[in-house]
Amino acid sequence: MMPLFDTATLELLRANGRNRDQDHAPVIKVFNPMGGQTWLLSELDPEDNDTLFGLCDLGMGEPEMGYVSMSELLEVSRMLPIGLERDLHFQGTRPLSVYAGEARAAGRITA
């Protein structure tokens, strides 16, 4: 099983985290295969190596851009019967704000 966050992905997230003023494309899509939670993540704080930024959809019809702890995502994944998964086919091709606008209109992440 592939880890949620491999070295190459972490490096891309950190690079984006060093330039927070830009509207980055998401680097990774993480989802709960047994529920409605999805995260499109674009940045990792290079100082604490735990704080991720992205579009967060907790499955309650109100996706929003914000921060999430990588250690908390990994802990949640360990507690689930089959864990959180990474969408290996996802490629962020547009700025995160575009995905956020579409998600707000649909009430969920549609990417």
Side-chain angles (χ1 to χ4, degrees), residues 22-54:
Q22 187 174 339
D23 187 7
H24 299 284
V27 173
I28 184 174
K29 178 181 180 180
V30 175
F31 65 98
N32 178 356
M34 298 180 65
Q37 300 81 23
T38 304
W39 297 265
L40 297 182
L41 303 167
S42 62
E43 301 173 26
L44 173 62
D45 185 324
E47 293 181 22
D48 73 13
N49 283 305
D50 186 60
T51 305
L52 295 156
F53 179 78

Side-chain angles (χ1 to χ4, degrees), residues 26-94:
V27 173
I28 184 174
K29 178 181 180 180
V30 175
F31 65 98
N32 178 356
M34 298 180 65
Q37 300 81 23
T38 304
W39 297 265
L40 297 182
L41 303 167
S42 62
E43 301 173 26
L44 173 62
D45 185 324
E47 293 181 22
D48 73 13
N49 283 305
D50 186 60
T51 305
L52 295 156
F53 179 78
L55 179 59
C56 306
D57 181 357
L58 300 181
M60 296 183 285
E62 296 185 23
E64 61 184 19
M65 290 175 45
Y67 295 92
V68 62
S69 163
M70 180 169 38
S71 57
E72 288 181 11
L73 280 179
L74 294 172
E75 181 65 25
V76 166
S77 186
R78 282 190 287 274
M79 293 176 4
L80 295 171
I82 60 172
L84 298 176
E85 293 186 14
R86 174 183 182 161
D87 183 342
L88 299 177
H89 301 286
F90 175 78
Q91 292 185 322
T93 57
R94 301 169 295 157

